[in-house]
Amino acid sequence: MRKFTVTAALLGLTALGVVVPATSQAADTAAASGCGDKWGPRNGYMYAWDGYNCSGDQLIATPNTVGDWGTANWDRASSVMNRGYTGSLSIVKFYEWQGHAEGPNDGHACLLPGEAWADNLSDNRLSDGSWADDNIRGHKWVNGGCATNLT
């Protein structure tokens, strides 16, 4: 009788697993990995990775404004994170060109502290209309002045 009960219970659990759609399971797994795994308490840092979902090589991790990420890191960022403190200078402004250039053909976009991260820059554009993915060379901490925000 005990073998029958255990077998029936296992069959019931298996059937229950079939009822749960695979897409919701995949979404739960995706939400619990990548940028979410790297998020922690605010520490005043900005991070950038060359892969989507905060994966691949970490290009930069700094609490400072850096106008030039260096030629080895230019045009490689595909995901970014803002773990800066809220309040003054809590927005990260990313620049298409080194040196914080802000002319009419010099794109930029901001990552607000409430957004936390942009896990796929391929669906974001800079203020000049160019794509954000693989198109950033520097950043600075600002209070505002953003024509475009990353999501």
Side-chain angles (χ1 to χ4, degrees), residues 1 9 11 95 114 145:
M1 180 71 170
L11 287 173
Y95 291 90

Side-chain angles (χ1 to χ4, degrees), residues 89 91-95 100-102 106-112 127 140-149:
L89 301 177
I91 300 168
V92 183
K93 192 170 190 178
F94 295 95
Y95 291 90
H100 307 129
E102 290 202 42
D106 302 320
H108 69 270
C110 292
L111 185 60
L112 305 176
S127 60
K140 72 178 174 180
W141 293 93
V142 298
N143 287 323
C146 302
T148 305
N149 290 319

Side-chain angles (χ1 to χ4, degrees), residues 80-97:
V80 292
M81 181 179 288
N82 177 354
R83 284 178 55 192
Y85 300 113
T86 57
S88 179
L89 301 177
S90 61
I91 300 168
V92 183
K93 192 170 190 178
F94 295 95
Y95 291 90
E96 181 176 14
W97 299 105

Side-chain angles (χ1 to χ4, degrees), residues 13-137:
L13 289 174
T14 303
L16 180 61
V18 172
V19 173
V20 177
T23 54
S24 70
Q25 291 171 347
D28 291 344
T29 301
S33 63
C35 293
D37 286 346
K38 291 184 172 67
W39 181 256
R42 293 201 175 273
N43 62 3
Y45 277 65
M46 181 287 306
Y47 301 84
W49 292 267
D50 70 352
Y52 299 119
N53 210 16
C54 303
S55 66
D57 291 335
Q58 187 175 73
L59 304 174
I60 190 166
T62 181
N64 302 315
T65 288
V66 179
D68 185 345
W69 288 0
T71 56
N73 292 329
W74 283 358
D75 306 328
R76 291 183 58 203
S78 291
S79 55
V80 292
M81 181 179 288
N82 177 354
R83 284 178 55 192
Y85 300 113
T86 57
S88 179
L89 301 177
S90 61
I91 300 168
V92 183
K93 192 170 190 178
F94 295 95
Y95 291 90
E96 181 176 14
W97 299 105
Q98 65 274 19
H100 307 129
E102 290 202 42
N105 298 317
D106 302 320
H108 69 270
C110 292
L111 185 60
L112 305 176
E115 190 66 35
W117 62 75
D119 61 356
N120 184 347
L121 293 180
S122 70
D123 60 4
N124 285 264
R125 290 192 181 263
L126 301 175
S127 60
D128 66 352
S130 61
W131 290 105
D133 190 29
D134 295 334
N135 203 16
I136 295 172
R137 294 187 177 185

